[in-house]
Amino acid sequence: METELPSPCYPGATETTLESAEKKQEPAQAKTLNGDSVFRYLTTSFAFSIIVILALMLYEMAGESMPALKAFGWKFVTSTEWDAVQGIFGALPYLYGSVLSSVLALALATPLSIGAALFITEIAPSRLGALVAPLVELLAAIPSVIYGLWGVLVMAPWLQSTVQPFLIEHFGFIPLFEGAPYGVSMLAAIFILMIMVVPIITSITREVLLAVPQSQKEAAIALGATRWETIKIAILPYGKSGILGASILGLGRAIGETMAVTMVIGNAPNISLSLLSPAYTMPSVIANEFAETTSKLHASALMEIGLILMVVTLVVNALARLLIWSVSRSAKGGAA
Amino acid sequence: MMHGMVFRKAKNHLMSFVMLACTLAVLIPLGLIFFHIVKMGISSLSLDFFTHIPAPTGEPGGGMANGMFGSLVMIGGASLIGLPIGILGAIYLSEFGGSKVSTVIRFAADVLSGTPSIITGMVAYTLLVVPMKGFSGLAGSVALAMIMIPIVLRTTEEQLKMVPGSLREASLALGVPFWRTSLKVTLRSAMSGVLTGILLAVARIAGETAPLLFTALGNQFWSKNVLQPMAALPLQIFSFAIAPYEDWHKLAWAGALVLVTVMFALSLTARYFGRSRHAR
């Protein structure tokens, strides 16, 4: 009977039985096609389909980008001219908009998120923390189109009528804040991205903080540290790489965010120092133009933007995962 | 010495206050968004919203019945494709997979779920819309399924791993074949947790807009054929929010309220299932 079994490696099965079972059953499996081997092949192929999907995505994106890659080469990322009628495509304004909006949004969101996560885990009474934490998680799940709806109908008009005139009047001499109050602008995109990534970074940072071993905190408290000192000397250094990972994950989300940004950024391919002027991002130009491309080259140029976007988020996400894994793994190691 | 202590305590209080302020700064905009959705949504919601298709430009009234129907159809289609792949794939990871292979698949799933959803739409476009020569609800379903699979895979795997090995051994000892043990014993005893993952995945794809922009495309009229362009609630919210008509904005708010209500209901149900598992 034992030889009939496909090698199970569920928790509990020891490594040695696993290996011997695998060796024994190989010939039996080759002879007859029973329910177990069908089941094994089916689950295996479905699990590997994840890798196939990922590879297929990269392959398709790269293949479809080829015409634009060949036509423009490096000029694609250094040129600012984007003219669908004449078939000239340079993506610099979109790259600029994506990088500026997501980096500034992250710069605002990260300290807020760390503060909030520390408050929830370390400062707040446990009941309050238990109330706020799931609330923040719930808010992280709100669809981006709804953030966009609020952004374009409530936040942008508010920025236009109060915040932007104020900035122009008092800080207009700084190039960042010169120009006219349009409402929909780089500033609006930065704000909406900040509001969107804060719940994500907060909830991951919270998980990282929870993985910090209790003994670490107790040692600091035993030395007479105040709560803040405990956080500073025992908690933050321990969770550092995980927190960094959380904010990089937020960066990945911000760069790839499409709907909300498309709705509030104004969709003008400018490279302007002023945060008050409309701008454009990589996902936004894809969202706006892809369904109505005028030529093969146009579609290919958008595909190349998509490819850049995909590679960037791939690298960013892989980095973030590794950092977060390193904390949870060392926490597990410490407990054992 | 006393002086230092006072200073340290003051600093402790100051930093506690800063962290409280951070929390408020996080919650206030989110509270405002929620407030506006409820306020604007409720005042725009009517029976027509659930039974009518959008009224022509500039005319008051109308609803998003076609969008809600389209969303249901596409979520159903995505689940038909995504759930078997995600769940059976997870069974491989927890019951068969060697540690190295599993790590690679897990990593691929995490990377895939971090990929911007608009990319998924572009890929579904080249794989389905171009060869089939037209935007369709089917292409939308496939795009949504690609988002769903990694989420279902990872959550199901976590749940299956928590099922004690002795349960499987007991079933195997009774002579039940391994595949039946996996499906009828292992999977079933992890069912509440698996259901949590499924509900969260459904909630996630219910709000997805970007991947539908160039797969389902959207439709102003009733669209019951999955091989034709299809309306979806998030798509309608998007196009109505950026249109310059007051009446359409109202519909968009009502749509947002419906969407958020559905998502919260799904999340809370998921939480309920998740909790009952821990209680046991």
Side-chain angles (χ1 to χ4, degrees):
Chain A
M1 191 61 216
E2 209 200 341
T3 51
E4 298 277 328
L5 294 179
S7 60
C9 74
Y10 50 79
T14 58
E15 287 294 322
T16 45
T17 53
L18 213 169
E19 273 166 38
S20 58
E22 195 148 20
K23 269 173 206 153
K24 273 188 220 160
Q25 66 156 82
E26 291 288 348
Q29 218 177 35
K31 267 183 231 159
T32 54
L33 199 70
N34 55 16
D36 278 350
S37 51
V38 170
F39 186 64
R40 184 178 187 147
Y41 289 130
L42 196 69
T43 53
T44 309
S45 57
F46 279 169
F48 276 86
S49 72
I50 290 282
I51 297 175
V52 174
I53 291 173
L54 195 61
L56 193 69
M57 283 174 88
L58 276 169
Y59 176 80
E60 284 292 330
M61 300 295 296
E64 298 287 322
S65 314
M66 269 309 150
L69 262 165
K70 278 189 186 137
F72 308 111
W74 281 109
K75 262 184 81 183
F76 188 74
V77 290
T78 55
S79 159
T80 58
E81 201 175 343
W82 183 273
D83 190 337
V85 181
Q86 295 193 37
I88 304 167
F89 298 101
L92 192 61
Y94 312 113
L95 285 164
Y96 174 82
S98 276
V99 170
L100 190 69
S101 61
S102 36
V103 167
L104 286 183
L106 201 73
L108 293 172
T110 304
L112 280 181
S113 307
I114 296 173
L118 283 171
F119 180 79
I120 294 168
T121 52
E122 306 296 331
I123 308 280
S126 58
R127 268 200 190 164
L128 183 64
L131 191 76
V132 176
L135 195 68
V136 171
E137 251 164 62
L138 213 57
L139 293 165
I142 292 182
S144 71
V145 70
I146 288 181
Y147 282 103
L149 171 77
W150 182 83
V152 72
L153 295 183
V154 179
M155 189 188 69
W158 174 70
L159 288 177
Q160 186 172 22
S161 63
T162 51
V163 177
Q164 292 185 343
F166 174 84
L167 287 173
I168 292 165
E169 194 178 329
H170 298 278
F171 302 97
F173 57 92
I174 307 171
L176 282 178
F177 302 118
E178 65 187 9
Y182 290 106
V184 287
S185 57
M186 176 60 91
L187 190 70
I190 292 167
F191 278 175
I192 206 84
L193 278 176
M194 180 193 82
I195 296 172
M196 290 180 74
V197 296
V198 149
I200 297 161
I201 305 177
T202 304
S203 62
I204 302 170
T205 304
R206 195 184 128 255
E207 274 167 39
V208 168
L209 293 177
L210 289 176
V212 175
Q214 196 64 28
S215 56
Q216 200 85 10
K217 298 176 202 170
E218 282 161 5
I221 293 166
L223 289 171
T226 63
R227 240 189 224 162
W228 166 244
E229 285 162 346
T230 308
I231 289 170
K232 207 170 65 174
I233 62 176
I235 297 173
L236 287 180
Y238 198 94
K240 200 170 53 189
S241 58
I243 295 170
L244 188 66
S247 60
I248 293 176
L249 211 59
L251 181 69
R253 288 289 279 265
I255 292 177
E257 175 42 49
T258 309
M259 304 316 299
V261 171
T262 306
M263 291 160 93
V264 302
I265 202 168
N267 298 325
N270 297 326
I271 297 186
S272 163
L273 209 53
S274 172
L275 298 181
L276 305 186
S277 62
Y280 226 144
T281 66
M282 293 192 279
S284 303
V285 70
I286 299 171
N288 282 328
E289 295 187 5
F290 195 69
E292 290 146 7
T293 49
T294 49
S295 65
K296 273 250 158 73
L297 199 61
H298 188 189
S300 178
L302 290 169
M303 276 288 178
E304 191 178 343
I305 292 182
L307 183 67
I308 296 171
L309 188 64
M310 187 171 176
V311 171
V312 169
T313 49
L314 219 103
V315 171
V316 165
N317 280 315
L319 190 68
R321 294 279 170 203
L322 289 175
L323 285 167
I324 296 170
W325 276 9
S326 76
V327 170
S328 55
R329 209 175 282 161
S330 66
K332 268 177 210 154
Chain B
M1 205 51 199
M2 264 325 275
H3 206 73
M5 192 64 202
V6 171
F7 175 72
R8 284 171 58 208
K9 277 197 168 161
K11 194 169 181 190
N12 184 34
H13 284 302
L14 177 72
M15 292 315 290
S16 299
F17 179 76
V18 168
M19 284 180 255
L20 173 67
C22 282
T23 311
L24 290 177
V26 169
L27 290 178
I28 286 170
L30 296 165
L32 275 174
I33 292 174
F34 195 62
F35 167 76
H36 281 114
I37 292 170
V38 173
K39 187 183 141 201
M40 309 293 287
I42 281 184
S43 60
S44 316
L45 212 54
S46 64
L47 188 65
D48 277 8
F49 183 82
F50 296 97
T51 53
H52 284 62
I53 64 169
T57 317
E59 259 179 52
M64 290 185 173
N66 57 341
M68 288 183 275
F69 175 77
S71 280
L72 280 180
V73 169
M74 280 190 276
I75 293 167
S79 305
L80 277 181
I81 305 165
L83 292 184
I85 297 181
I87 293 174
L88 290 175
I91 290 179
Y92 170 80
L93 286 185
S94 80
E95 315 292 309
F96 297 116
S99 63
K100 265 184 198 159
V101 181
S102 299
T103 307
V104 172
I105 293 173
R106 244 173 250 139
F107 195 74
D110 284 352
V111 165
L112 198 61
S113 56
T115 306
S117 58
I118 193 164
I119 306 275
T120 322
M122 294 179 101
V123 173
Y125 174 88
T126 56
L127 290 178
L128 285 167
V129 176
V130 174
M132 292 174 75
K133 296 190 173 65
F135 300 100
S136 66
L138 178 70
S141 281
V142 171
L144 294 180
M146 283 199 271
I147 297 167
M148 200 173 188
I149 291 168
I151 305 174
V152 173
L153 182 96
R154 295 291 272 124
T155 50
T156 306
E157 189 209 347
E158 293 299 324
Q159 299 305 323
L160 290 177
K161 270 186 181 162
M162 285 200 272
V163 176
S166 54
L167 212 61
R168 299 175 176 89
E169 278 158 15
S171 167
L172 292 171
L174 289 170
V176 180
F178 194 80
W179 68 274
R180 281 189 74 100
T181 301
S182 287
L183 292 178
K184 299 266 169 169
V185 178
T186 317
L187 187 62
R188 181 171 281 180
S189 58
M191 207 53 211
S192 62
V194 173
L195 216 55
T196 306
I198 294 173
L199 289 175
L200 291 177
V202 168
R204 165 83 191 274
I205 62 167
E208 282 292 351
T209 316
L212 300 180
L213 285 171
F214 17 84
T215 51
L217 192 72
N219 194 327
Q220 286 287 76
F221 306 101
W222 275 106
S223 44
K224 289 170 186 157
N225 185 346
V226 289
L227 299 177
Q228 295 287 321
M230 200 165 225
L233 188 58
L235 274 179
Q236 285 181 331
I237 295 173
F238 170 60
S239 52
F240 283 23
I242 58 171
Y245 311 111
E246 198 67 29
D247 296 319
W248 281 16
H249 291 173
K250 281 187 177 164
L251 280 180
W253 282 113
L257 180 63
V258 171
L259 192 54
V260 165
T261 309
V262 169
M263 302 216 22
F264 278 18
L266 284 170
S267 291
L268 289 175
T269 319
R271 246 163 221 291
Y272 171 76
F273 281 118
R275 198 161 287 168
S276 67
R277 174 174 46 84
H278 287 301
R280 234 180 277 156

